[in-house]
Amino acid sequence: MTMPISADLDKTLTPVSDEPQLVDFRRIVPARRATAHFRRAILSLEVAADICTIAFSVMLGYFIYDLLALGKHVFYPRKIVLILAFVFASIMVLMLDRVGAYRRGNSLLRVRETEQVLRVSAEAFLIVFAVSFFTNVLFSRWLLVLSLSLVPLLLFLEKNFMYLFVRSLHRRGYGNDKVLIYGAGATGRRVFSVLRRSPKLGLDPVAFVDDDPARAGTIVYELGYERRRSASVIHGPLDKKLLERLAVDLVIIAVPSIGRTKFIHTIREALDSNARVSFVPNNLLTSDPTLDYQDIDGVLLASFGRPTRRLGYDMVKRSLDFAGSLVLLILGMPIWLLLASLIKIDSPGPVFFLQERVGTNGKAFRMVKFRSMHQGSCGNEYSPETSSDARITRMGRFLRRTSLDELPQLLNVLQGTMSLVGPRPEMPFIVKQYTDRHRQRLQVKPGITGLWQLSGDRAFLIHENVEYDLYYIQHRNFFMDLAILLHTFFFAMNGI
């Protein structure tokens, strides 16, 4: 159930001395490294297979068109057709990602997957038809019809092959997470059946736990005619020892009517055993930034943890970061040389200031800035809050006021340790003081600019205004990034 999420989670996190069931819901337990690597490899393989299949379908359509001499037989150089085929394939993959085709819980019965393939294929070719109709770009209608027929057909076959391939790997024990379902009632049985029919998820339900002694020792079969796969029911309550004995990776609470006290106790036991937690919410569904909701074949699961990665957005964002930082580095080189000279003239010491910061998932990296403080100033203290701070040089005051001291961080963006837009990276000694709410900032790559820098609260410490970063993490998209960059360029050049 959804526990009165926003209000009750905050109450639960509030230290109350006589409340015995305190549990930190925002504590994130990552997936096992081997399993995470397996999932990333399968996702990359699926995307690559889709691109190659779509491109091959277009090329095959062209060869049939050329062989049968259909229509007016407009000639296209094969090299151009090949390039356009891969461009079209890349666009289609982004469109598939937009409709959720690469999410783990997608298309468990493969019907939704086929529906997405058909819909996106139709949308993509309608776009091509429109471009051909309203512009001078000439596409053979026969070629488009052939490709429109071949792309969804071959994609359907390729995805069925991928389904069988992934299922065979999971059967051999690769990339599986052991799942314990809490609750052997109707909801728990449905969750069990869904997971058994869903090899793409890599979730292996090993047992049930139920507090009803009448169900202890019984066998639960998957819903269906064959009733081949089953799991036994263990008498509850669920506790840390049981989870560690079964080496459980994920606990699914499949009791929508569960009481608050038992809900909190179950999650605490799961987190203490280093297992992740998901639950089936009740009908009183509310929104909360700490929850990630996933519709798995009609069963809605809520999970505590970081937001789902979006393939298309991540690819576009990284492309924007790389291209934008490279262009700005090249165009800004004269300014770099001028600022470097002024820094050297103003005070002794190096031009650049290197400092360890904490990035994605808590991984440390070396951030580079133009030096704005006197040599020897301690770099492991809170940053100056006013321009009158004695540590700041004369040139440093100008650099900070114009934010030009941040320019060298374009090297970090080019390297991939930072992004153009994202939460600001903090120093390790500050991160050590983070609460779990603050640690949510580490879910995404840190950036040069973000919502906090554009706010009136930038005069205060970053970790005192975490709401800006949490809002960005939950709502980030390509156009929001562009808007933040534009606002930064025009309005945010007045630092301290």
Side-chain angles (χ1 to χ4, degrees), residues 326-388:
L326 185 61
V327 169
L328 291 173
L329 281 170
I330 295 173
L331 296 179
M333 194 54 64
I335 299 176
W336 281 52
L337 295 175
L338 175 61
L339 293 177
S341 301
L342 294 175
I343 291 171
K344 293 294 288 185
I345 294 172
D346 180 59
S347 62
V351 171
F352 297 109
F353 172 67
L354 299 176
Q355 188 179 57
E356 184 176 293
R357 294 292 177 104
V358 179
T360 316
N361 297 324
K363 185 177 180 180
F365 70 97
R366 301 283 285 180
M367 189 182 74
V368 57
K369 300 176 67 173
F370 279 128
R371 181 175 59 84
S372 61
M373 294 192 290
H374 291 287
Q375 187 178 15
S377 297
C378 182
N380 294 319
E381 298 177 356
Y382 287 108
S383 299
E385 297 182 19
T386 64
S387 58
S388 60

Side-chain angles (χ1 to χ4, degrees), residues 180-353:
L180 187 68
I181 301 175
Y182 182 57
T187 301
R189 291 166 185 257
R190 189 177 178 201
V191 169
F192 176 76
S193 297
V194 164
L195 298 185
R196 282 301 190 188
R197 294 195 304 260
S198 313
K200 190 175 179 180
L201 285 174
L203 299 177
D204 180 22
V206 295
F208 290 85
V209 169
D210 200 286
D211 296 331
D212 185 354
R215 289 174 174 163
T218 60
I219 302 296
V220 174
Y221 291 90
E222 64 175 314
L223 300 175
Y225 293 105
E226 297 181 353
R227 296 170 61 86
R228 290 182 304 174
R229 293 169 290 191
S230 62
S232 59
V233 180
I234 302 171
H235 185 241
L238 182 147
D239 57 28
K240 178 181 176 182
K241 290 182 179 179
L242 174 63
L243 295 174
E244 291 179 344
R245 177 167 61 86
L246 296 176
V248 171
D249 300 297
L250 171 67
V251 173
I252 296 180
I253 303 175
V255 187
S257 59
I258 190 171
R260 178 177 182 271
T261 300
K262 187 169 290 187
F263 181 78
I264 293 172
H265 171 78
T266 304
I267 293 178
R268 183 180 63 183
E269 294 295 314
L271 295 180
D272 286 345
S273 68
N274 207 35
R276 305 191 308 281
V277 180
S278 296
F279 63 95
V280 179
N282 64 7
N283 295 327
L284 302 175
L285 184 64
T286 59
S287 177
D288 186 87
T290 65
L291 293 178
D292 180 29
Y293 292 102
Q294 193 174 25
D295 184 353
I296 303 179
D297 205 22
V299 174
L300 185 65
L301 285 184
S303 303
F304 297 102
R306 51 178 60 87
T308 306
R309 290 173 60 89
R310 290 163 290 175
L311 175 68
Y313 170 71
D314 290 339
M315 291 173 58
V316 172
K317 184 178 179 68
R318 179 58 190 150
S319 300
L320 174 65
D321 284 342
F322 185 84
S325 59
L326 185 61
V327 169
L328 291 173
L329 281 170
I330 295 173
L331 296 179
M333 194 54 64
I335 299 176
W336 281 52
L337 295 175
L338 175 61
L339 293 177
S341 301
L342 294 175
I343 291 171
K344 293 294 288 185
I345 294 172
D346 180 59
S347 62
V351 171
F352 297 109
F353 172 67

